[in-house]
Amino acid sequence: MLSTSFRKHWDPWQELNRLPVDMNRIFSGLSDAVRTGAQVFPAMNVLSGEDRLVVTAEVAGVNADDIDITVEGDMLTIKGSRSVDALGEDEKYHRRERGTGEFSRTLRLPFEVDAAQTEAEYAQGVLTVVLHKPEASKPKKITVKRAS
């Protein structure tokens, strides 16, 4: 028989109940694509400043004309397509890791942005999107007046 002190410290049912919580914690932050082994495209970085965000996305092999950027409130969507490489008659793939076809990636931004001031530039396979915080959302300094 188990000692009383051991039973107070270890409960197998409590451990089983905690298992889904622990599994969710382990896999939190991983998208479905990462868990299934699929690639998340395009890979992105988001840098934030006091009054703007800069989003960079790796879109090598995509024509600038094939990229569509949409901003609505605090959501940024980048859509596009990468064409299939043309193969010769006697050629076949030995290895094929670069994805082709249409893609879409939506990010929730840390604040709403002014869509009218959004700028985008594409150079050397990297898309850079600069998103500005609207004036109404920027912090305002309030002066405290002395009561007379």
Side-chain angles (χ1 to χ4, degrees):
M1 175 132 189
L2 294 174
S3 72
T4 323
S5 63
F6 182 73
R7 275 189 274 151
K8 287 181 184 176
H9 297 289
W10 186 75
D11 178 8
W13 299 115
Q14 185 179 11
E15 294 296 320
L16 284 173
N17 288 335
R18 210 173 72 196
L19 183 62
V21 174
D22 289 343
M23 294 302 287
N24 285 337
R25 183 181 48 79
I26 290 169
F27 291 109
S28 69
L30 296 178
S31 69
D32 291 334
V34 172
R35 277 179 263 175
T36 60
Q39 211 172 10
V40 176
F41 184 81
M44 296 183 176
N45 289 339
V46 180
L47 309 165
S48 73
E50 199 170 301
D51 61 347
R52 71 181 188 149
L53 289 172
V54 178
V55 177
T56 57
E58 293 180 3
V59 287
V62 177
N63 293 323
D65 295 336
D66 295 332
I67 300 172
D68 181 37
I69 302 168
T70 309
V71 177
E72 187 175 337
D74 65 346
M75 301 296 283
L76 168 70
T77 301
I78 298 175
K79 295 180 183 179
S81 63
R82 184 164 35 189
S83 58
V84 179
D85 296 331
L87 295 177
E89 263 185 50
D90 61 340
E91 292 179 321
K92 63 180 181 178
Y93 283 101
H94 174 70
R95 179 176 296 231
R96 187 173 179 183
E97 295 179 354
R98 293 184 58 217
T100 58
E102 294 185 359
F103 62 87
S104 178
R105 184 107 190 256
T106 300
L107 292 176
R108 181 173 299 278
L109 305 171
F111 51 78
E112 288 195 17
V113 297
D114 186 354
Q117 288 188 331
T118 300
E119 306 158 6
E121 185 178 290
Y122 182 59
Q124 298 179 338
V126 178
L127 174 68
T128 302
V129 183
V130 180
L131 305 129
H132 297 274
K133 192 180 249 189
E135 285 297 321
S137 297
K138 291 181 182 175
K140 305 284 188 270
K141 181 167 175 111
I142 308 298
T143 305
V144 178
K145 298 177 186 176
R146 292 182 185 223
S148 354

